[in-house]
Amino acid sequence: MTAIPPIPLNTLSSALAVRTHCPYCAFQCGILMGEDLGADMPRVSGDPHFPVNNGQLCIKGWTSSALLDHPERVTTTQLRDSRGEWRDASWEEAFDFIAGKFKTIRQRHGANANGVFGSGALTNEKTYLLGKFARVALGTANIDYNGRFCMSSAAAAQNRAFGIDRGLPFPIADLEHAEVVMLVGANTADTLPPMMQWFDRQKKARGRLIVADPRRTDTARAADMFLQLTPGTDLALANGLLYVALEERLTDERYIAERTTGFDAVRAVALQYHPARVERLTGVPESQLRQATRWLATARASMVLTSRGTEQHSKGVESVHSWINLMLALGKVGKPHSGYGTLTGQGNGQGGREHGQKADQLPGYRLIEVDAHREAIAKVWGVDPESLPRKGKSAFELLDSLGSEIRGLFVMGSNVAVAAPHLSRIEQRLKSLELLVVCDSFHNETSAHAHVFLPVYQWAEEDGTMTNLEGRVIRRRAVSRPPPGPRSDLDVLRELAVRLGCGEKFAFRTAESVFNELRRATAGATADYSGITYSKIESSDGVFWPCPSEDHPGSLRLFAERFHHPDGRARFFAVEHRPAGEEPDAEFPLFFTTGRYKEHYNSGAQTRLVSRLRNAKPIPRLELHPRLARRHRVVTGSRVTVESRRAKMEFVAEVTADIRPDTLFAPFHWGGRDAANLLTSGVLDPISRMPEFKLTAVRIAGVRP
Ligand code: SF4
């Protein structure tokens, strides 16, 4: 459908081509990299043998090498001078300055006054070491990461329902064999373009695709059925489908009895979601509710895949539960080419949430409040379990406490000054810090507030592992020689640990040696990587976790026999539709929802630097329906001021019938005055602590030509 065809391999020097992976999203497309003969920039081609993308790349992957020798690359360590200007510094001076400040803050305000903010883009090795650095070197409870803004609702619901959180419990290739796939709040044509090949194959095999989204996206255009639901009503939609399944006796009662617990309460709730009521709540006609249910229920193999559209809500966890409930009730989860999955977003969004950079977790998906888990990790780290901090603040709460409870912040690979909600507030918080350290390759909106900038290697300059959206652990390889100046994130953590008095616990010289400690730390845990080795990954297309021993082949599919709760049964959770944290009203009558362009990745810190991507999408444009546009005398190109309870901002309008008349859409890839997150709220899901990015009440406050 929309993926860009692979580049001919003869653009690479085949003798030098190395198999590695795209730096951006969780599809982790296989790429081939090598020095192009006659040019000095490494070149990229899709890896035709990697069985996830099969040689296809999107425009971001195709242009991914452009950053490696980009003129704006920072290669010198920088400190602020007395006038607030950057000045060059040696690494030694920077390390000494940071460690000194961390110690002073700890002495004056306690260990939890230092915080750490990580990223779903970091390798498993960095994720693991950053969590250890926070708990052992800094002794702080306050570490979290930007994946909290991405996958945390689906992760929490899967853990509760299945006892394990692997985004997809089956390989992506299973899509081809599913008779029906329902995508909820997922625009894969823009976010994961090479994934569309699997829907092409599925359709060729006479499969059907259902898409539920407030916008008629390119993904929706490829669907056999499109449900254009009201923002924030995914849960009501799923309960409505379950009502139909119950009414038409399409549930699998034997499966429910043998493999699950808790269905009676769910049945009682679902029976309150008559299609007429659900049509009023969601805007989806009863005929579509019935047809979608019949397709999912009667197919030999069917699956529901959710993404941020369902998950980034103040009821995100419950919304995911509603879809899991439906697929459990239909008896599909764990059956061949069937079930429920979430499409993880960030490059290492999966591994990033498994190895200890979340406020409530330790490596291997161990829980920081469980004594046995604390003891297991303390033993590997050689520390007293009592010395490990307890659960810290979640991402938004951590950022919201900067300058008050938290005085020093260490940021690795994250651009919080674009990605966080209620940005004007978060920017004020960043400005009030005594110490802000940013480790990155380029300056960004967050480093604009930093006191220290540490220039680090880029993705193609160092080794490591990533875990893609299927739970497949893969190798990222050092292909390109870094310029003089930058250092590895792993080096940075080691040098700081030395100055904080615990260098012996961070004495790793290679990524592989960190991975080997990670393997020991995860042995026997839910996310067990102990049987995965670099050489095992080298000799395969990746290894699926859990993999508890070196002779174990890895776990391609989960749930065929049992779920990961001690009794082997999946859990139903009775969930009810409820209003969003901020529903439209007379004052702010419109929904505002955020999303992505296919040309940009997350905060845009990297992709806005790539000229081909920037030229294709230089600014965020506000999508609005022609009926709404007429009412406000807006045409495409008009400048429209949108106001929420927190901020006003101006967008260039794009009038399109693809969006609901009650909804505005803008992408969130820009900072400063173009930051869509100036409008969004800090309302959080009570379980996952996910901010409600997908639903903000706004009004049109002005229009100019
Ligand atoms: Fe593949 Fe994602 Fe990279 Fe695009 S951004 S090439 S879909 S890994």
Side-chain angles (χ1 to χ4, degrees), residues 544-616:
F544 289 76
W545 71 264
C547 182
S549 63
E550 288 193 30
D551 58 1
H552 189 285
S555 307
L556 201 60
R557 296 182 179 82
L558 306 178
F559 314 144
E561 307 289 332
R562 66 192 312 277
F563 294 95
H564 282 247
H565 287 299
D567 61 5
R569 289 169 174 264
R571 307 285 192 264
F572 280 100
F573 285 81
V575 288
E576 290 266 28
H577 171 76
R578 58 184 163 81
E582 193 178 87
E583 287 284 340
D585 56 16
E587 212 182 341
F588 295 93
L590 297 169
F591 294 103
F592 174 70
T593 189
T594 62
R596 293 150 208 269
Y597 284 153
K598 63 174 169 290
E599 291 83 359
H600 289 291
Y601 178 69
N602 272 7
S603 78
Q606 296 152 290
T607 50
R608 281 184 275 131
L609 293 169
V610 178
S611 57
R612 187 165 162 191
L613 303 177
R614 187 178 60 243
N615 293 340

Side-chain angles (χ1 to χ4, degrees), residues 27-44:
F27 218 59
Q28 283 297 289
C29 290
I31 59 176
L32 297 173
M33 282 193 73
E35 301 292 330
D36 184 51
L37 294 178
D40 57 6
M41 191 161 74
R43 299 290 299 270
V44 165

Side-chain angles (χ1 to χ4, degrees), residues 21-31 53 56-62 64 188 190-195 345 347 598 601:
H21 295 273
C22 172
Y24 296 115
C25 82
F27 218 59
Q28 283 297 289
C29 290
I31 59 176
N53 61 309
Q56 291 193 12
L57 298 176
C58 77
I59 185 74
K60 296 188 290 294
W62 169 221
S64 57
T188 51
D190 279 359
T191 56
L192 306 166
M195 185 170 170
K598 63 174 169 290
Y601 178 69

Side-chain angles (χ1 to χ4, degrees), residues 25 60 82 93 95 147 161 191 220 280 295 310 330 334 343 410 413 526 577 602 636 666 678 687:
C25 82
K60 296 188 290 294
S82 54
E93 182 186 4
F95 286 142
T191 56
R280 279 197 303 279
W295 283 2
T310 285
L330 297 179
L343 300 174
F410 184 81
T526 302
H577 171 76
N602 272 7
T636 291
L678 288 167
I687 299 166

Side-chain angles (χ1 to χ4, degrees), residues 423 592 594 649 651 666-670 674-680:
L423 261 188
F592 174 70
T594 62
M649 58 181 294
F651 292 98
F668 68 96
H669 308 294
W670 283 265
D674 286 336
N677 276 324
L678 288 167
L679 299 173
T680 54

